[in-house]
Amino acid sequence: MTVDTPHPVAATGRQPTPPLLRVEGLTRHFMVSGTRIDVLHDCTFDVSRGEVVAVVGQSGSGKSTLLNVLGLLDEPSSGAYTFDGVDTTSLREGRRSRLRGDGIGFVFQQFHLLERRSALANVGVPMVLGGVPLLRRRTRARELLEAVGLGHRLHSQPHQLSGGEQQRVALARALSREPALVLADEPTGALDAASSTMIMDQLIDQSRVRDAAVVVVTHDPKVAERADRVVELVEGRTR
Amino acid sequence: MLRSLTAGIVLAFAGSRANVARTILSCAGIVVGVGALILVVTAGDLGQRFATAYSEANAGRAATLEVSAFGTVTDLDSFEEDLGRAGALEVSVYNRMESAPPLRADDEVIRNTDIVGVDAALGDIRRINMTRGRWFTEADLDSRAPVLVVNEALADRLGDFGDVQIGTDHWADVRIVGVSQGSTFNANQYSAYLLRAPSSGEIVFGPSWDPEDNSLPQPTYLARVDPSDEAAEEMFSGGVFTDRLLSASWRWGIENEEDIMVYRTDYAAETEELIGYLSLGLIGIAVITLTTGLLGVLNVGLVTVRERRRELATYRALGASRFTLFVAVVMEAVVVAVVAGLIALALSWALVAAGGALIGRFVWLPPDISMAVPPSAALVGLGSAAFVGLLAGIIPAIRALRASVVAGLRE
Ligand SMILES: Nc1ncnc2c1ncn2[C@@H]1O[C@H](COP(=O)(O)OP(=O)(O)OP(=O)(O)O)[C@@H](O)[C@H]1O
Ligand SMILES: [Mg+2]
């Protein structure tokens, strides 16, 4: 995948590039002690490179569930999900993991940092998996942490950081391999206004500077406002 | 594939460093189990080497036969030739003198010395440990004076060997070429080997020896045969060796089978059997200890599975495949186990060295047996540590990786 694909909006006069991801008729249900819980019915939308899309909806409407499918962490019950031209429904585990590691950066609602590992080590993990050599990994992890304002906390472990700081480490980690798709699940939920703005600036930068596609789940109208487009989940359907 | 593998290894090292409690708990069980195994193998090995050395020093190497004739052998040269023809690789006369001549040092007479008349070949039949000087050589046969190798007790008594005589009908100067280490049997008893040479035949064999045709009543010999030769199975005559020896016995004057006694003196066969039982018992103990260690490690592994599920799901969310994480978890267990094995090795090495020093103060140890962990024990120890690590890693790894990523993250 090429990083410098022209921005769809800027590419006036040329063929519009195909979207980076597309979901069509996607459903996801869970079985809980014999009862079927339909969380997503019929979601259809696409996201292109350089776009920032906000996903909004009530609590329990299935935003996290949708994001897990987009992040290849979960598989849909039915429907199609195409990522970077690859139909992901028929992928085997190894290929899926690789596609996820190479192409997708995930910022979780609960951060999911590795305990007892320094901020530097946490940011380095995706690069370990990507086979980036040690020295380059170190330098890059340091740069990323400095970019989110944590240059002075490189060796702190998650339990020594505030919620906002942990979220920034998680963001740095998600961006460490310059993924084509950045997914963020309520990245600003636990943060004050200033931190929240900083995180959003970083995410929007990813699309503007690096031409990545960004999908961010949020409750915050201020955050949704800054997105190029808003997808609303109502009763498991996209609007 | 390669990328997954190297990533797995990097994660394994990071994991064992980060989870210190888990690492130390796993280590402890293995250190004890592997330490016990190394000590047991070391004990078995030392026992075997000790028994062999002891047997070789006191009863001869495998297979040593003692050959005695009850009657007069009319021609010792032909008799010795026939011993060789019957299968002996080395032959030495072994004439333990009933009333040994006295020795004299600096005009003081020393009685009660055990003197055995031997050939230089005895050095190839028995393990003779020299503390000073050397064993007999061919050149000593030309010596005008009788040549002796004495034990340590006698050497201490004789002083600087400057003025030593042996007394038959007159006092004759002797040459002492070496001092042999005593065994537990004769540590305090004066004893000496006297080399049979043309000039000393009379002292070696006494007055009943006839130098004219080299005949002697009731000689005793030691002969070493190939342990795989059927002649080695001789037990109190009537065997292959006796048959072969007697085939031309008219040459040296003994006709009756009953007048020749041959029996095997070394206890290589018995030692082997004993060591066999011993090692079986020791291996049993080692297996039990090691299994206990394994169960301990496995327990730690399984207890931490819940904690690990979240960690592993996080890795997977960041792009690690199941294979990578399987490698990481198993490698981590193996690395921890091998490090524990190395610790166990160092501890047992120190223990054996200390124990050896202590035992050496109370018990006679052959000088060529060092109290140390043999390479085989180290290898067995580290090998089983790695094996335990592998087993203890695989089961929790499979269990931890069964959960889906999303479920793992929810733990
Ligand atoms: N593994 C599961 N098993 C059963 N039900 C599940 C599972 N995962 C999610 N659900 C259900 O699916 C629904 C949507 O959950 P999801 O976490 O996607 O909501 P959300 O929109 O992210 O909510 P919030 O804004 O509170 O984070 C919830 O009712 C939840 O109980
Ligand atoms: Mg959610």
Side-chain angles (χ1 to χ4, degrees):
Chain A
M1 73 203 78
T2 47
V3 175
D4 49 1
T5 328
H7 194 281
V9 183
T12 36
R14 276 195 243 166
Q15 284 280 318
T17 45
L20 180 67
L21 69 89
R22 160 170 282 149
V23 287
E24 253 181 310
L26 181 131
T27 74
R28 181 68 170 108
H29 59 252
F30 298 99
M31 297 300 292
V32 176
S33 49
T35 333
R36 186 169 132 166
I37 303 177
D38 287 297
V39 179
L40 302 175
H41 340 246
D42 193 22
C43 294
T44 301
F45 66 98
D46 51 36
V47 183
S48 298
R49 283 180 159 273
E51 247 190 324
V52 179
V53 173
V55 176
V56 298
Q58 287 182 337
S59 178
S61 59
K63 304 182 295 294
S64 295
T65 305
L66 175 64
L67 218 61
N68 287 340
V69 173
L70 297 185
L72 297 175
L73 303 179
D74 195 10
E75 289 173 61
S77 305
S78 68
Y81 172 34
T82 313
F83 174 72
D84 199 25
V86 179
D87 177 9
T88 65
T89 42
S90 55
L91 284 184
R92 289 200 302 155
E93 197 268 338
R95 185 78 209 290
R96 244 176 121 74
S97 298
R98 175 159 284 214
L99 201 59
R100 175 162 66 230
D102 291 344
I104 302 174
F106 215 122
V107 183
F108 298 94
Q109 203 166 359
Q110 303 87 353
F111 324 136
H112 289 312
L113 294 179
L114 293 159
E115 294 300 318
R116 294 183 291 260
R117 233 57 72 81
S118 69
L120 210 55
N122 262 284
V123 176
V125 168
M127 294 188 276
V128 169
L129 297 170
V132 178
L134 178 68
L135 286 180
R136 193 128 53 86
R137 205 153 78 209
R138 284 258 147 169
T139 321
R140 175 134 179 82
R142 183 187 299 265
E143 284 168 7
L144 283 160
L145 284 167
E146 278 163 3
V148 294
L150 287 176
H152 58 302
R153 303 304 299 268
L154 299 180
H155 302 287
S156 301
Q157 297 188 1
H159 65 92
Q160 298 162 329
L161 296 170
S162 75
E165 286 167 336
Q166 289 187 53
Q167 191 61 303
R168 283 186 270 158
V169 175
L171 179 67
R173 184 176 69 180
L175 303 182
S176 65
R177 294 196 59 209
E178 309 202 320
L181 173 62
V182 180
L183 301 173
D185 194 349
E186 306 251 17
T188 61
L191 310 186
D192 64 10
S195 308
S196 160
T197 309
M198 178 180 193
I199 298 268
M200 265 324 276
D201 288 348
Q202 286 275 343
L203 285 174
I204 290 168
D205 260 14
Q206 293 300 309
S207 83
R208 302 294 178 259
V209 178
R210 255 190 349 94
D211 203 36
V214 178
V215 177
V216 47
V217 167
T218 184
H219 275 126
D220 187 348
K222 280 209 203 98
V223 170
E225 232 167 58
R226 297 185 64 182
D228 298 324
R229 193 148 58 87
V230 176
V231 170
E232 194 182 359
L233 267 182
V234 181
E235 286 170 358
R237 279 169 233 275
T238 46
R239 274 220 299 238
Chain B
M1 183 77 172
L2 191 68
R3 196 171 93 177
S4 307
L5 209 67
T6 44
I9 291 167
V10 173
L11 293 183
F13 276 95
S16 47
R17 277 226 319 266
N19 300 292
V20 183
R22 184 167 78 208
T23 306
I24 289 175
L25 275 175
S26 312
C27 258
I30 299 181
V31 168
V32 173
V34 170
L37 183 64
I38 291 177
L39 288 179
V40 157
V41 176
T42 303
D45 176 83
L46 278 176
Q48 172 139 30
R49 281 194 292 152
F50 184 80
T52 306
Y54 196 79
S55 164
E56 287 185 0
N58 292 296
R61 299 193 154 93
T64 300
L65 302 178
E66 187 172 310
V67 183
S68 312
F70 305 115
T72 300
V73 172
T74 54
D75 181 354
L76 288 180
D77 297 329
S78 309
F79 181 68
E80 285 163 23
E81 220 176 280
D82 282 0
L83 283 173
R85 224 171 269 158
L89 303 171
E90 280 105 24
V91 173
S92 170
V93 71
Y94 197 77
N95 197 49
R96 189 178 285 276
M97 293 167 205
E98 258 162 46
S99 52
L103 294 173
R104 190 176 73 175
D106 301 322
D107 295 326
E108 262 188 79
V109 178
I110 304 157
R111 297 186 191 278
N112 303 327
T113 303
D114 273 335
I115 300 181
V116 189
V118 301
D119 292 320
L122 185 73
D124 300 323
I125 297 171
R126 279 199 184 162
R127 178 198 292 248
I128 293 167
N129 300 308
M130 304 299 293
T131 54
R132 263 193 285 156
R134 57 170 177 81
W135 181 246
F136 303 122
T137 63
E138 283 289 307
D140 293 330
L141 292 175
D142 300 332
S143 171
R144 304 281 303 160
V147 186
L148 288 172
V149 166
V150 299
N151 76 345
E152 284 172 302
L154 183 55
D156 287 344
R157 180 70 183 76
L158 293 178
D160 62 0
F161 303 166
D163 178 26
V164 183
Q165 290 88 34
I166 193 163
T168 44
D169 48 351
H170 63 282
W171 289 105
D173 283 330
V174 299
R175 269 180 62 213
I176 298 171
V177 296
V179 179
S180 68
Q181 193 187 38
S183 71
T184 28
F185 289 146
N186 64 357
N188 299 315
Q189 168 70 35
Y190 299 150
S191 72
Y193 292 112
L194 170 63
L195 181 68
R196 172 177 68 156
S199 62
S200 63
E202 205 149 340
I203 315 177
V204 170
F205 294 128
S208 50
W209 175 59
D210 175 1
E212 272 310 295
D213 40 63
N214 201 13
S215 84
L216 181 73
Q218 307 198 354
T220 300
Y221 279 82
L222 290 183
R224 196 176 73 80
V225 301
D226 186 334
S228 60
D229 188 337
E230 51 182 337
E233 274 152 45
E234 192 88 28
M235 272 288 169
F236 296 105
S237 307
V240 176
F241 191 84
T242 312
D243 289 347
R244 289 183 191 163
L245 184 62
L246 285 171
S247 62
S249 64
W250 48 267
R251 299 206 300 153
W252 32 270
I254 285 185
E255 304 283 346
N256 270 338
E257 193 179 313
E258 292 86 70
D259 288 344
I260 290 285
M261 188 170 87
V262 178
Y263 75 97
R264 186 159 168 182
T265 63
D266 69 292
Y267 16 90
E270 288 88 336
T271 309
E272 245 161 57
E273 197 180 348
L274 189 74
I275 294 290
Y277 288 129
L278 195 70
S279 15
L280 221 64
L282 291 176
I283 286 170
I285 297 171
V287 165
I288 292 167
T289 345
L290 203 63
T291 312
T292 320
L294 170 69
L295 290 180
V297 182
L298 201 59
N299 190 33
V300 174
L302 289 175
V303 165
T304 52
V305 157
R306 264 182 86 78
E307 176 193 335
R308 299 212 83 174
R309 274 209 190 116
R310 208 176 130 182
E311 179 189 345
L312 295 179
T314 307
Y315 279 129
R316 292 185 63 198
L318 299 175
S321 65
R322 275 206 171 94
F323 173 74
T324 298
L325 293 178
F326 184 80
V327 170
V329 173
V330 173
M331 271 291 296
E332 184 182 320
V334 171
V335 166
V336 168
V338 170
V339 168
L342 287 171
I343 294 172
L345 183 60
L347 289 180
S348 359
W349 183 82
L351 213 66
V352 169
L358 203 68
I359 291 170
R361 288 168 146 214
F362 301 108
V363 186
W364 174 82
L365 289 173
D368 52 342
I369 290 195
S370 54
M371 288 291 278
V373 175
S376 60
L379 224 69
V380 167
L382 290 181
S384 35
F387 180 71
V388 164
L390 205 66
L391 267 188
I394 286 175
I395 298 167
I398 290 172
R399 291 193 51 177
L401 286 171
R402 228 168 19 201
S404 78
V405 185
V406 177
L409 287 176
R410 277 174 188 270
E411 288 266 340

